[in-house]
Amino acid sequence: MASPEEAQLDLFLQWLQANGAQFRGCQIKYCDSNKGFGIYSSDNTHEDGVILVVPLDLAITPMRVLQDPLIGAECRAMFEEGEVDDRFLMILFLTVERLRKNSSWQPYLDMLPTTFGNPLWFMDDELLELRGTALYRATELRKKDLLTVYEDKVKDLVKKLLVLDGDSESDVCFEDFLWANSIFWSRALNLPLPHSYVFPQIQEDQEKEISCSVDKSSEVSTSNIYSGSPINENDGKRFEAHGNDTRMTGVTSTSRQGETVWVEGLLPGIDFCNHDLKAVATWEVDGTGSITEVPLSMYLISALQSPSLVEKEISISYGNKGNEELLYLYGFVIDNNPDDYLMIHYPGEALQNISFSDFKGQLLVAQNAAMRCLLPKNLLDSGFFPAGSSNNKAKNTCEADIICNFSWSGHRRTPYYLNKLVFPEDFMTALRTIAMQEDEVSKVSSMLEELVGSEGERQPSGTEIRTAVWEACGDSGALQLLVDLLQKK
């Protein structure tokens, strides 16, 4: 007897093939409860390396949502008024389709995960484990924003759309919207589409113009606007599309017909590829069918020089992302991730609990202090000091000369570690300001009063404040504060 996963997969494969998808060297298989489904190589790989072909008509894009018979009219009105963006359109579409009783997308929706590992789905005690990190704050803000959008825009609109669809009984809840949000962010691909596919009306108008021009002059060329060459996508899954600034019909647009329009969207089938640092496949668009014999299709193609082993998982790259971003978007992390970054952040709300908080807060604002820094984790492999820093004496002396451009004493007392630490100077200056002791606060205050004069003719500049902090304060407080912040990571 087939398992529930196998039964869902069988229906999904039938749905894909009925809608024109072609498996040419792969199969979708259930991996495990953590990874869900994945794509694996089979023994019938084509010589051209094409693994899977899916018609673009199966893609969930902003254009599809705006043309949808049920929600298209409502979405167009909101979109034209600037109330929503293209991502919201797709998330709303997923929310509605999940609740519809007879959705034509049901075989695909049944294959999608119902729970996620990203922090938006953490229990309260799990989320507290992230307290003190940038990810904790980002998750709090994102969930608050999603709740606001749900209450203000989504809840009543989805109910209204379901009633129009003949369903007055289904209830919508925040978890439905949260599910759709997580599906989009964890599965959306950056699709490089032909301009004529995204803007068919413009294409039709230009073809009429060309036809009229040909009638008037036989010298006008009638070559195809889109050449049919495949368009490469090298960066994997992303959460931002690239292109010119003009935005039309929910996509990033370009100015000429023959160019590519980058559109975020979900492509059933190809979106079951999991991530790997050493991706074995990428995806491309075939506008005319010259590669796949399926016009307007997207295909998965092997990136290996030789055929992959049978039953080997076919992975793609989601991009060069650190573990914090991978966890936030996709709900997983990678051991020894070479792209991992460390965000060190001093939370602003903690300032009210330190001594002389008002004075220090004013200094931090005036110097436009950097309260956080982002570093590749491998920079800390040798501790606070980069490997070989002791051999850079001449370079450090030169850099110190550049820094000593202002001082009351005429020769600034540069900390011994300033040009050796992997942490930026502006971040260390902020930590020094926060860690000042009473005697150091008095010194800085006296130096700034001397600078501005007894009548306070002017305010000290940010550079002058930073210099005063460095000249008056010792090293130990800032270093201890840095250690405390790192221990919370």
Side-chain angles (χ1 to χ4, degrees), residues 8 16 28 36 65 78 85 89 102 109 131 157 161 164 166 172 192 244 298-299 301 334 337 342 348 372 448 454:
Q8 289 175 349
L16 276 178
I28 299 177
V65 178
M78 291 189 296
D85 61 13
L89 296 178
N102 297 303
L109 299 175
R131 196 176 183 91
L157 177 57
L161 293 171
L164 289 175
V172 58
N244 296 339
M298 178 168 283
Y299 59 99
I301 186 169
I334 297 174
N337 186 350
L342 179 69
R372 66 183 67 195
L448 295 179
S454 58

Side-chain angles (χ1 to χ4, degrees), residues 360-434:
K360 293 177 181 179
Q362 292 172 7
L363 294 183
L364 291 169
V365 170
Q367 62 183 282
N368 194 22
M371 302 291 283
R372 66 183 67 195
C373 70
L374 186 66
L375 294 173
K377 276 192 174 179
N378 56 19
L379 280 183
L380 297 176
D381 288 347
S382 301
F384 286 3
F385 307 95
S389 60
S390 59
N391 298 326
N392 297 331
K393 205 169 200 179
K395 178 183 176 184
N396 290 343
T397 302
C398 177
E399 290 178 352
D401 291 340
I402 296 173
I403 294 168
C404 299
N405 57 2
F406 179 85
S407 174
W408 282 266
S409 60
H411 56 282
R412 182 177 174 188
R413 177 167 59 87
T414 304
Y416 70 90
Y417 60 80
L418 176 60
N419 298 304
K420 299 177 182 178
L421 280 179
V422 298
F423 303 98
E425 181 190 357
D426 56 353
F427 179 65
M428 293 304 300
T429 304
L431 295 188
R432 274 191 160 229
T433 304
I434 295 168

Side-chain angles (χ1 to χ4, degrees), residues 15 58-72 75 78 86-100 103-105 108-109 154 157-158 161-162 176-177 179-181 183-184 266 268:
W15 179 81
L58 269 184
I60 298 175
T61 62
M63 301 89 71
R64 172 179 286 280
V65 178
L66 293 172
Q67 298 165 5
D68 185 81
L70 177 61
I71 73 173
C75 288
M78 291 189 296
D86 45 358
R87 292 168 176 166
F88 175 87
L89 296 178
M90 290 178 279
I91 293 171
L92 177 65
F93 179 84
L94 289 167
T95 305
V96 172
E97 292 300 321
R98 187 191 198 201
L99 294 169
R100 292 181 74 179
S103 172
S104 60
W105 296 86
Y108 172 59
L109 299 175
V154 175
L157 177 57
V158 171
L161 293 171
L162 290 175
D176 295 318
F177 181 58
W179 170 87
N181 175 80
I183 288 295
F184 173 78
L266 282 73

Side-chain angles (χ1 to χ4, degrees), residues 201-231:
Q201 185 59 49
I202 296 176
Q203 169 77 4
E204 182 180 333
D205 293 343
Q206 286 205 358
E207 286 177 349
K208 289 179 180 178
E209 290 177 9
I210 291 174
S211 176
C212 292
S213 299
V214 170
D215 291 339
K216 294 177 182 179
S217 173
S218 59
E219 296 179 0
V220 178
S221 172
T222 58
S223 59
N224 288 334
I225 292 173
Y226 178 64
S227 65
S229 300
I231 305 166

